[in-house]
Amino acid sequence: MPANESAPPVKKKGRRARLIVLVLVLALFAGLGYGAYWGVDSVRASFPQTTGSLKVPGLTGTVEVKRDGHGIPQLYADNDDDLFRAQGFVHAQDRFWEMDVRRHMTSGRLSEMFGAGQVETDAFLRTLGWRQVAQAEYDTKLSAETKKYLQAYADGVNAYLKGKSGKDLSVEHAALKLNGDYQPEQWSPVDSVAWLKAMAWDLRGNMQDEIDRALMSSKLSQAQIDELYPPYPFDRNKPIVEGGKTDGGKYTPQAGGTGTGSTGTGSGSGSAVGSQASVNTGPGTPTVTGLADNATAQGATVGLRTQLTSLAETLDEIPAILGPNGSGIGSNSWVVSGRYTTTGKPLLANDPHLSPQLPSVWYQMGLHCRTASAQCQYDVAGYTFSGMPGVVIGHNADIAWGMTNLGADVTDLYLEQVKPEGYVYDGKVLPFTIREEEIKIAGSKSKKITVRTTNNGPLISDRSDELGTVGARAPVASSAPDRGDGYAVALRWTALDPGKSMDAVFRLDRAKTFDDFRKAAADFEVPSQNLIYADNKPPNGNIGYQAPGRIPVRNQGDGRMPAPGWDSKYAWKGGKDGNTGYIPQNELPWDLNPSRGYIVTANQAVAEPGTGAGKYPNLLTTDWGYGARSQRINDLIEAKIKDSGKISTDDMRTMQMDNSSEIAALLTPMLAKIEVSDPDVRSAQKLLDGWNYTQEPDSAAAAYFNAVWRNILKLSFGDKMPKELRIEGSCMNVRGTGNGPTDDLAEVVRECGTRGSDSAQPDGGDRWFEVVRRLAKDEKSAWWKSPAARNQPETTTRDELFARAMKDARWELTAKLGKDQSTWSWGRLHQLTLKNQTIGTEGPGFMQWLLNRGPWNLGGGEATVNATGWNATSGYGVTWVPSMRMVVNLNDLDKSRWINLTGASGHAYNSHYTDQTTLWAKGDLLDWPFGKEAVDKATVDTLTLKP
């Protein structure tokens, strides 16, 4: 087990003070103050009972909870209600702190637990209204059967909570209890449904790109922005579906048209708002007419930039359950037909790439009916979310499925013109829909906020208090503070309309055929995911793919840039009833048993856009991943089939750990040709000689290359980004723009970046791979110009900039790893530290030492199959990981394999807190028993839950 390491505290205003008492209390619990009573007793008090028997009110029969040597439970019951009631009980045993924090976040109530430092976060989440939407889903959309399961699950959680508080629940709850009168409330079914909103938020598509492109326009031309968002390379990286189908056998536009303009090439056209000169000067976009009284083009442009700058800062503060706002959540999944496997049946692999958390966002579990019947329909195992019933990713006795983020554009930002009496729409002033919210604050008085909503969605810019003066002052009531002057930004998002995604989870869990699978996918409305499929039907099983999701059809524009909210031409088609205005399910891409014998999804384009044969006409997004991982997986599968004709379970595992770097393969030959006079830099350059571009933890070449890559990005793009995209603290001298009486064109001012480390640019993801691939052909591109600095000469060509990056990288690694290159390794730079949720991420070093674990030295990197991502603006630390890995063997389910990032337990110092992490870091997988005989053989502890 790696040693704990105290990471520097995260500096966020108003948050450290509220944690001081928690630190002291936790110190007592660790035995550092009041001895054995506070130490051993308080730490162990919350550990779950895993043997013997317990009474659980509401059960109609006994439920067996069989845990293996890693604490992973398999549940056995005689009816569905008992099964899900027991699932809620067991989740709460291991993960209630995680569940409690999560439900407070999704309902905008973190301040009730942690005090005034969370008020701004709560206010933003209240504005989105996740809890209200979840309640509406439960009341009006979900089936009676789903609601029955949700209630049974909630009853199980509450059975566990009965009579418990403080240290009986977790060491964190004990700290809160002694720091005040906090007492967890009863769990409700809507608490479970709201989790899907948080999942959808972190998988929301291109919202960050939409913001970034608009902010870039303050410093870059449209042509330059287009260069930084190049089109998807369909000639080089295969889409998921080649040719494709709808239920009619070919893709056909929906009646009345399917949208406009770009169909997903990422070509940079279609700017609606945010260009330099006016509100609508993007090429290819119709002129926006009918500006309201004081909505001048210049005023709207300045208003948008000001609002989006502040919004970006607000988004940086929102705790992301699945991942940060930066380079984008990715994932890998692929499935190989039984024709090409050693087992004769399909093999299916999945590893979603999410933010590293402690405990992992996933919880492994099996849900089994002792005897299948109409009253007991489930025999399923896989990865669950604590706080939500069912299995999200996994397999049952007949089929297996995996997920990756489709990345559909399901969010649009609208610049709204506001007036004292409402907002402007098609030349009229319409009243806001108003909702009052009260935020309760631990240790302080409550705060009231007013949420204003237009027909485009809630005004999320109301939640920023850092907006400058924009346009004429718009008088507003004092109960609705924190808005811009004259303009505001609204969010249109599919997840803010009630849906049926919770129904889809249960339908997936009991699906038996591809038709069942597709019907389940039809209900998986948000977040939009790539769903892959395999079954064990004779003779070789089937493999398939379905793109589900509620994906909007726009009247005008392509969603790449914020749109003018006062013009109805930019609204989504149809109403907000969830039944119109979206691409019909039978027109979303799908595939079954393609002739090539495998399907790969890794966030690449779903299908090639267009209207010809085999092309897809509907607009899904213009912001795909660029296919670095997906094409590497395609190549690995094809090479293995060509070499041996068959792929094994272990081959699938080996592919998951592939560390090959596409950008290294492109740039290393160029770097090797550059003449270097400095002997120290030359010796570092020689590390690249003969390197095979794999990023193993012990590789000195990988360490040096990634340092060079980081410095290439910094020199060629970093200082050319507007301050709103540069990392906080990165400062540079710039000349004034000449705008305004106090802004002298000749004046040099100090300008510092404002963006958080998770979302600053250039982040170095595979979009930047594609940018540099294209620019590298032009040795004299203006992007290669970098001013002189620190005794480094100005660069004007590609090779001059590369040479300077090599020198900067050499001295950066000397400072970080030492002058002796023989001690360099990628893993020493590229480290993972697991942080306990909430307290472990925001407390001072001592608290992080107490609750966090690590570091682990990792291989892999950004946009590799083993996607241990990092943001090039902030360093080499791991910010994205394969949050779990699984390989399902459809020929013998008991020979399937799986691993989690951490462990089953959310209790610090429990033996299952991080007992899978070292295995995960090495690429090992655990046995995954499914059948009763295999489960019994693996069982270490059995707990019987009784009525």
Side-chain angles (χ1 to χ4, degrees), residues 294-314:
N294 64 330
T296 65
Q298 181 63 26
T301 301
V302 174
L304 179 70
R305 291 176 192 148
T306 306
Q307 296 277 356
L308 292 185
T309 298
S310 186
L311 175 59
E313 294 170 0
T314 300

Side-chain angles (χ1 to χ4, degrees), residues 584-596:
Q585 174 72 18
N586 63 3
E587 291 187 19
L588 291 172
W590 64 278
D591 213 348
L592 179 65
N593 296 324
S595 59
R596 64 184 178 276

Side-chain angles (χ1 to χ4, degrees), residues 133-308:
V133 179
Q135 185 70 58
E137 288 184 355
Y138 185 80
D139 292 341
T140 66
K141 290 291 185 178
L142 299 181
S143 69
E145 182 180 58
T146 293
K147 290 198 280 190
K148 183 177 70 168
Y149 295 159
L150 287 165
Q151 186 61 60
Y153 181 91
D155 290 344
V157 176
N158 293 330
Y160 177 75
L161 293 180
K162 188 175 182 180
K164 294 184 176 68
S165 66
K167 68 179 183 179
D168 297 326
L169 293 172
S170 73
V171 69
E172 297 95 334
H173 278 107
L176 287 184
K177 185 71 173 177
L178 292 186
N179 190 33
D181 58 357
Y182 178 78
Q183 174 67 31
E185 63 193 31
Q186 293 282 288
W187 194 267
S188 79
V190 180
D191 290 332
S192 297
V193 179
W195 159 243
L196 289 171
K197 298 304 163 188
M199 181 181 175
W201 175 252
D202 284 344
L203 300 172
R204 62 190 178 272
N206 76 337
M207 181 173 164
Q208 194 69 50
D209 288 328
E210 192 173 336
I211 292 172
D212 289 355
R213 279 190 289 261
L215 292 175
M216 285 179 183
S217 66
S218 67
K219 193 168 184 178
L220 304 175
S221 69
Q222 186 63 49
Q224 289 173 317
I225 295 173
D226 290 348
E227 285 187 296
L228 301 185
Y229 289 87
Y232 185 89
F234 285 99
D235 59 336
R236 191 174 70 253
N237 296 341
K238 295 178 182 178
I240 296 170
V241 176
E242 298 178 68
K245 309 178 185 72
T246 64
D247 287 339
K250 63 180 181 178
Y251 289 126
T252 55
Q254 70 185 88
T258 58
T260 64
S262 168
T263 54
T265 64
S267 60
S269 64
S271 170
V273 175
S275 56
Q276 287 185 323
S278 73
V279 91
N280 58 333
T281 57
T285 299
T287 300
V288 179
T289 59
L291 294 180
D293 297 340
N294 64 330
T296 65
Q298 181 63 26
T301 301
V302 174
L304 179 70
R305 291 176 192 148
T306 306
Q307 296 277 356
L308 292 185

Side-chain angles (χ1 to χ4, degrees), residues 192 281 329 417 612 714 735:
S192 297
T281 57
I329 292 179
Q417 192 194 7
K714 182 164 61 174
R735 293 195 180 278

